[in-house]
Amino acid sequence: MRNRKFSKGKKFIFFLPVVALIATALGYTVMYLWNWILPEVTHCGRLNFWQALGLLVLCRLLFGNFNKGGGNNRFREKAMGLRSKWQSMNDEERAKFKEEYRQRCGGWGHRNKD
């Protein structure tokens, strides 16, 4: 019977090439798609591999996060709490809530009915 336990060093040695392979594949994919679509559509310049990899990291920083799971559980929990609170309100409480929301937010995104 083989010992299936790996030491941390062996895991790291295996993990490092896998991460490099994934980063390389993603970088070339971004570079290929950018150079295939955007120069013709928007008349922008072409990317090399390192620029594509930098763009990938920049987009990840701006639009995503580096947490495992890719989700923000606090936001999801807050949304579920608000949804259950909304469902437990009667019609009068909902109308009052909507009016308070309009006053606080100034009807942002809605046309005035003047």
Side-chain angles (χ1 to χ4, degrees), residues 22-63:
I22 291 170
T24 302
L26 287 173
Y28 276 113
T29 302
V30 169
M31 182 183 74
Y32 174 76
L33 289 172
W34 179 286
N35 291 338
W36 179 47
I37 297 170
L38 288 176
E40 292 180 23
V41 175
T42 62
H43 306 292
C44 61
R46 300 176 64 83
L47 290 182
N48 64 28
F49 171 75
W50 295 109
Q51 290 170 329
L53 202 57
L55 183 64
L56 191 63
V57 170
L58 179 64
C59 288
R60 184 71 174 163
L61 287 171
L62 292 175
F63 303 117

Side-chain angles (χ1 to χ4, degrees), residues 2 8 12 16 30 36 55 62 75 104-105 109 112 114:
R2 292 175 22 197
K8 289 184 180 182
F12 181 74
L16 194 59
V30 169
W36 179 47
L55 183 64
L62 292 175
F75 175 75
R104 283 187 191 175
C105 300
N112 293 335
D114 294 334

